[in-house]
Amino acid sequence: MSAAKNKLNHLAIIMDGNGRWAKKRHKPRAFGHREGMNNVQRITLAANKLGIKVLTLYAFSTENWARPKEEVAYLMNLPVRFFDKFMPTLQENNVKVNIMGYLDDLPKKTYDVVQRAMAETRDNTGLILNFAFNYGSRKEITTAVREIATLVSNGGLESDDITENTISEHLMTASFGEYQDPDLLIRTSGEMRISNFLLWQIAYSELAFSEKAWPDFNENDLKKFVENYQNRHRRFGKVDESDS
Ligand code: IPE
Ligand code: IPE
Ligand code: MG
């Protein structure tokens, strides 16, 4: 008897390997970031076609500020280029943009462009394209703990009433409701680590790693990873009849 296929509602991707992709081609790292940006468009449209509800893309971590100044400046300008180039297609495809991260720390131009992208697509009802930009999971959890502590000290919440749900509700993924935890997390470019991404939310995510650098990760690769995920056996700690 074949089991029912897993539904993929929330896909998260750690888009890694842009710099090495460029280096292999004797080009500056920025060249890889530009090609990586173009790939975001391709994979977004492919994810939309596959019926995915939320696509979370790790685009800039709270640790990435430690890169050379010119590279950080280039990465901070990428949202400006991306929305300039792709906003009409995103609109045509009913994509709703969300940016998750510490936005107040972004340069003004970047801040303005991401706020505008969210405002302009607010009423779209298709795929949610969620960029993690200046995002770090430990910082996110720390912020949540602080908010909850404030509620408790103000008398708005009893410490005994803090549940797992209370914590989820204070994370940046809260607005995705039943889809807030990724079903599948893919990291490209062969690294097998999480790099401070969605630590709470991936408790039961399926993990997958691609050897390809992000600019080379195409629609076909995505399809293969999704099919592989759909046929996995997710147990969530239980014993299924088919295992006993
Ligand atoms: C991913 O590619 C993009 C960001 C982290 C901003 P990298 O820039 O990390 O590329 P590699 O891993 O150095 O090749
Ligand atoms: C993770 O990639 C962050 C993003 C993809 C935005 P990094 O390239 O920064 O991660 P490490 O440094 O290899 O762990
Ligand atoms: Mg990297």
Side-chain angles (χ1 to χ4, degrees):
M1 197 187 76
S2 68
K5 287 193 169 179
N6 300 312
K7 179 101 181 64
L8 180 51
N9 290 316
H10 185 166
L11 169 65
I13 305 180
I14 302 176
M15 308 184 290
D16 196 20
N18 293 349
R20 279 164 285 167
W21 183 90
K23 199 173 167 204
K24 238 172 134 179
R25 286 158 181 78
H26 310 286
K27 302 273 198 202
R29 292 177 60 85
F31 182 72
H33 293 313
R34 196 186 65 185
E35 204 37 51
M37 178 195 86
N38 290 329
N39 200 35
V40 166
Q41 167 76 352
R42 290 190 284 268
I43 295 299
T44 299
L45 297 182
N48 200 16
K49 279 211 188 94
L50 290 168
I52 291 167
K53 305 277 195 292
V54 181
L55 175 63
T56 297
L57 299 176
Y58 204 5
F60 191 91
S61 75
T62 47
E63 287 70 37
N64 287 146
W65 294 104
R67 293 189 177 199
K69 226 171 82 198
E70 315 75 64
E71 183 171 352
V72 169
Y74 190 88
L75 291 167
M76 283 297 139
N77 196 43
L78 270 187
V80 180
R81 284 164 167 253
F82 179 81
F83 292 116
D84 247 16
K85 194 166 172 188
F86 295 125
M87 186 47 95
T89 319
L90 296 177
Q91 291 288 20
E92 270 165 40
N93 286 275
N94 200 19
V95 172
K96 179 174 176 160
V97 174
N98 187 67
I99 322 285
M100 158 180 106
Y102 290 87
L103 304 187
D104 290 344
D105 302 335
L106 301 180
K108 182 169 180 341
K109 203 170 163 199
T110 313
Y111 177 89
D112 288 346
V113 91
V114 301
Q115 292 293 354
R116 187 158 12 103
M118 287 193 277
E120 284 177 3
T121 60
R122 193 176 36 213
D123 298 327
N124 290 355
T125 53
L127 173 87
I128 296 173
L129 173 57
N130 177 39
F131 287 101
F133 199 80
N134 194 20
Y135 171 87
S137 185
R138 285 192 166 182
K139 196 168 160 127
E140 178 192 34
I141 293 169
T142 306
T143 306
V145 169
R146 228 180 254 155
E147 287 172 6
I148 295 166
T150 304
L151 279 176
V152 171
S153 67
N154 290 346
L157 183 69
E158 292 290 329
S159 60
D160 283 347
D161 292 335
I162 298 172
T163 62
E164 291 186 7
N165 225 6
T166 316
I167 295 170
S168 292
E169 279 166 8
H170 282 84
L171 299 178
M172 294 176 181
T173 40
S175 67
F176 307 141
E178 60 178 315
Y179 305 136
Q180 53 191 289
D181 296 338
D183 298 297
L184 173 65
L185 170 65
I186 300 173
R187 182 169 187 148
T188 60
S189 94
E191 306 297 353
M192 305 251 225
R193 55 174 170 265
I194 301 298
S195 303
N196 202 14
F197 193 41
L198 301 174
L199 298 176
W200 173 273
Q201 295 90 332
I202 61 170
Y204 259 106
S205 302
E206 294 293 323
L207 307 180
F209 300 91
S210 170
E211 287 300 320
K212 282 195 178 178
W214 171 248
D216 285 336
F217 187 85
N218 62 31
E219 294 96 330
N220 265 337
D221 298 314
L222 177 67
K223 251 189 162 158
K224 275 188 227 151
F225 275 81
V226 170
E227 278 166 21
N228 173 288
Y229 159 83
Q230 286 171 331
N231 294 314
R232 287 188 190 189
H233 191 180
R234 301 184 82 182
R235 292 189 187 79
F236 299 101
K238 298 176 212 155
V239 178
D240 287 350
E241 273 169 35
S242 57
D243 299 326
S244 56

